[in-house]
Amino acid sequence: MTPGASPATTFSVALLAEFVRSGVRDVVLSPGSRSQALALAAAEFERVGRIRLHVRIDERGAGFLALGLAVESSRPVLVVTTSGTAVANLHPAVLEAHHSGVPLILLTADRPAELRGIRSNQTTHQPGIFGVATRLAEDVAAPEAGTSDPVRAADAAALVRRARDAATGVQSAGPGPVQLNLAFREPLSSAFTLEEAGTDEGADAASVAPATDPLADVLADVLTDVLTDLASEPPLQIAPGLRTIVIAGHGAGEQAERFARSGGWPLLAEVSSGARFGPNLIVAYRELLQSADFGGQVERAIVFGHPTLSREIPTLIQRDGVETIVVAATGDEWYNPGHRVSRRARSVVADEASVADAATRPAREWLGRWVMTSRHVLVAEAEQDVTPIGERGITKAELAAMRAPVTRAMLADAIWRASWPHDRLVLGASRLIREADKRVLGKKIFVHANRGLAGIDGTISTAVGIALASQAGPEPRSSGTTRLLLGDLAFLHDVGSLLLAPGELRPRMQIVVGNDGGGTIFDGLEVAQSAHPTSIDRVLFTPQQVDLSSLAAAYGWSYSRAATRSDLERELTTPPAGPSILEVPLAR
Ligand SMILES: Cc1ncc(C[n+]2csc(CCOP(=O)(O)OP(=O)(O)O)c2C)c(N)n1
Ligand SMILES: [Mg+2]
């Protein structure tokens, strides 16, 4: 760095260099004056190919974009903002990341100590503003002139290590958000350049180049941590003898499927569990849980992940005579409906007796009855709402079915069928994720939903983050399409996130909006039967008649509409190459 350089810039460059060295690849930033040193440093790191930079004017969308990038890339993602309300706009994404265990590192620029508490412009109390939602919150004093670069680099390295460790969960209860509140004093930046070869003197850019694969470092740390956990607490051994089911809520992962299979137990896996596949899968689990012959017979439930999509699961757990074991590798808030969970474990295995028992007749009958009955329920429902298309020729009835208006069931089925292992599927919070959860068959595909808090906010930006990170990954998993299925209100809530920065990689992404003119999820509430329909419409359904094609045109996304089943099939199987919106009108 040249003599006379702004300490803000010297520190920002050192900090970003350390983050790159620690494995960070994606930086999301929103513009602002106080954060200019970080922003200009990020622009330089992008120019020399060290990071992927994503610029968004709206910090709320920026936060969710970072969340999507982190979910897909399994790496911490940096978010840079200026001071004031800019910081507060990150709060929704921070809460979601906290509750769903996603590593975000927020670099929030602030005034130095002498300018705080005196009504300076755009100045509020930022340190720790996210409360318990951050794994670590540090208020970092403004960098001083005159401190030598090596000292500053050492400070930056230590700070980055603390932030990285906290965000990936090495020293805390699992991955989550971290806030580094960074004070900057005038001059807020100075000019500098990094050399492409990575030999810039001041920034010590040679050392910016990672010596080893940084991803390997990050994963190795997380893995070491998990293994240490496992070593300090051996897996809970699950013995046979009780009529058992395995429940996989959001984020349960493949381990839930493996575990259910090893013990020969029915697997009730939500659509975004990561475990919705395999021979033990029970798709029609709601109907079965309601039945005395199935739900009524359960003596033990073993729960992975975070179930949020049905009432039947929490009801079962609260029933007398059901022993529930909740499994979570990390985290300190445990799923516990009605405070009735009997045991918690960091990991479980089916013990030898359970594995042997899985092959016995009573165990095979227990599993077989669940699997067969679930299939019967699905077939009966399918006959009601969808006429199958014959393989040879199309009959009159089939033709009519192709021209029939799209239903939610049809939409959920079609989008599931169109998704393959190299694709990504993101589901917004609405009736549609529940519709998918009720019916889609087992398939090993990537499904994400923001179920940490199930907000309708940030859905588009989360999906854009997933799409962009997936495109940057290795082949062939980088070649797919990210499809987002969401309702019209969730779409409109985050419509500003359609704004993509010119020159940035465009997401290979199809947004499918099930447009029923408002929030029809509320029509299912009990109160909708008794309250005045006008009031329900006014304050819950909240009708809208926005022209989505105009919005698409305004933001430069291609647009199409699918009103019939044949339109839908065509649009889903041959989506446009770039960002596109498919509007599907649905009856209320
Ligand atoms: C940020 C936020 N605000 C409010 C809610 C409450 N909420 C849940 S679903 C929903 C309406 C969803 O409507 P839409 O996206 O059109 O889906 P639909 O139910 O019609 O399928 C609302 C407002 C929420 N989950 N998150
Ligand atoms: Mg709607």
Side-chain angles (χ1 to χ4, degrees):
M1 204 66 42
T2 44
S6 151
T9 288
T10 311
F11 175 74
S12 295
V13 172
L15 193 70
L16 283 187
E18 286 300 334
F19 272 120
V20 170
R21 201 174 293 122
S22 82
V24 165
R25 283 293 167 275
D26 289 287
V27 179
V28 182
L29 80 78
S30 302
S33 157
R34 191 57 51 169
S35 51
Q36 61 185 263
L38 283 166
L40 293 167
E44 265 303 282
F45 277 81
E46 177 192 45
R47 195 182 61 77
V48 299
R50 297 288 185 213
I51 59 167
R52 290 183 292 263
L53 182 61
H54 313 267
V55 180
R56 295 294 183 275
I57 57 169
D58 173 356
E59 289 81 4
R60 189 180 70 177
F64 280 104
L65 177 70
L67 184 118
L69 290 162
V71 163
E72 170 64 30
S73 68
S74 307
R75 296 177 189 230
V77 173
L78 301 187
V79 188
V80 177
T81 72
T82 190
S83 63
T85 56
V87 181
N89 273 293
L90 297 176
H91 214 145
V94 168
L95 289 181
E96 176 61 30
H98 166 52
H99 287 277
S100 55
V102 178
L104 297 184
I105 299 175
L106 318 169
L107 307 180
T108 56
D110 200 352
R111 298 286 188 281
E114 66 273 17
L115 296 181
R116 296 185 192 174
I118 54 166
R119 305 205 68 187
S120 301
N121 182 35
Q122 217 176 309
T123 307
T124 182
H125 187 79
Q126 290 180 198
I129 191 172
F130 304 113
V132 296
T134 44
R135 303 288 181 272
L136 170 77
E138 285 201 29
D139 191 21
V140 182
E144 300 286 344
T147 319
S148 72
D149 283 353
V151 171
R152 194 162 295 136
D155 285 352
L159 184 61
V160 166
R161 218 170 14 256
R162 289 197 298 280
R164 206 269 318 260
D165 286 356
T168 54
V170 172
Q171 287 164 354
S172 65
V178 163
Q179 182 198 13
L180 300 183
N181 192 60
L182 306 172
F184 291 110
R185 193 173 280 129
E186 310 271 352
L188 291 174
S189 69
S190 56
F192 81 102
T193 48
L194 289 177
E195 282 175 26
E196 309 234 359
T199 52
D200 175 78
E201 6 58 274
D204 189 18
S207 58
V208 168
T212 53
D213 177 7
L215 177 60
D217 293 351
V218 175
L219 292 182
D221 277 355
V222 174
L223 201 62
T224 310
D225 182 45
V226 172
L227 292 178
T228 315
D229 260 8
L230 292 180
S232 61
E233 194 182 313
L236 180 65
Q237 303 267 332
I238 305 296
L242 294 175
R243 280 191 295 270
T244 300
I245 59 170
V246 176
I247 294 169
H250 174 74
E254 296 181 10
Q255 53 162 342
E257 193 276 334
R258 262 196 316 274
F259 172 76
R261 207 159 15 94
S262 66
W265 297 305
L267 171 65
L268 285 59
E270 289 187 346
V271 65
S272 67
S273 62
R276 192 158 175 126
F277 58 92
N280 296 24
L281 181 67
I282 310 301
V283 172
Y285 70 87
R286 295 158 198 247
E287 289 85 346
L288 269 63
L289 285 179
Q290 286 165 16
S291 146
D293 292 339
F294 291 90
Q297 302 287 308
V298 172
E299 294 169 323
R300 180 170 59 187
I302 299 165
V303 184
F304 295 75
H306 182 205
T308 62
L309 292 176
S310 74
R311 287 185 191 164
E312 287 79 4
I313 284 172
T315 304
L316 172 86
I317 290 169
Q318 293 173 71
R319 176 165 72 64
D320 285 339
V322 176
E323 177 193 331
T324 302
I325 301 163
V326 167
V327 189
T330 57
D332 42 31
E333 187 179 315
W334 294 79
Y335 181 66
N336 193 359
H339 300 273
R340 294 291 292 274
V341 169
S342 5
R343 289 192 78 170
R344 301 158 165 184
R346 287 297 179 199
S347 62
V348 287
V349 287
D351 72 5
E352 276 180 26
S354 281
V355 174
D357 187 68
T360 64
R361 194 165 170 170
R364 290 204 337 255
E365 272 175 12
W366 172 246
L367 173 63
R369 279 206 300 129
W370 280 80
V371 171
M372 292 314 295
T373 312
S374 169
R375 279 188 201 156
H376 290 314
V377 171
L378 287 184
V379 168
E381 280 174 2
E383 279 168 0
Q384 271 177 13
D385 29 75
V386 184
T387 307
I389 306 297
E391 290 192 355
R392 279 186 258 143
I394 292 189
T395 65
K396 252 188 179 172
E398 288 162 354
L399 199 61
M402 292 301 283
R403 288 180 183 155
V406 179
T407 62
R408 287 179 187 78
M410 215 186 268
L411 180 54
D413 273 339
I415 207 161
W416 191 255
R417 266 186 289 108
S419 302
W420 295 99
H422 60 290
D423 293 328
R424 310 290 186 280
L425 179 57
V426 181
L427 301 170
S430 77
R431 267 174 83 172
L432 291 163
I433 186 171
R434 289 182 166 73
E435 194 58 48
D437 188 58
K438 278 181 193 161
R439 54 188 309 111
V440 298
L441 304 179
K443 195 170 181 181
K444 212 167 166 181
I445 56 176
F446 174 95
V447 182
H448 178 74
N450 282 340
R451 298 308 297 174
L453 287 183
I456 61 165
D457 44 353
T459 321
I460 294 175
S461 34
T462 302
V464 170
I466 287 174
L468 291 175
S470 76
Q471 287 163 236
E475 284 281 347
R477 293 212 2 102
S478 60
S479 62
T481 298
T482 297
R483 290 190 186 79
L484 164 62
L485 175 63
L486 83 176
D488 48 300
L489 294 192
F491 176 82
L492 292 171
H493 202 290
D494 197 27
V495 73
S497 293
L498 294 178
L499 181 54
L500 305 169
E504 285 186 12
L505 180 67
R506 293 175 69 77
R508 198 161 50 238
M509 169 173 176
Q510 186 176 37
I511 300 181
V512 182
V513 188
N515 191 355
D516 46 25
T520 54
I521 198 166
F522 300 120
D523 292 347
L525 296 179
E526 241 165 65
V527 70
Q529 311 294 323
S530 54
H532 200 286
T534 323
S535 306
I536 293 284
D537 276 15
R538 174 100 175 98
V539 298
L540 286 164
F541 177 68
T542 51
Q544 60 77 26
Q545 295 183 337
V546 177
D547 176 2
L548 303 192
S549 68
S550 299
L551 281 178
Y555 285 101
W557 288 56
S558 61
Y559 169 89
S560 52
R561 192 168 179 275
T564 65
R565 182 171 167 190
S566 58
D567 290 350
L568 178 66
E569 301 281 344
R570 191 191 56 245
E571 295 293 338
L572 285 175
T573 45
T574 49
S580 65
I581 294 167
L582 174 62
E583 179 178 3
V584 182
L586 295 171
R588 183 168 173 186

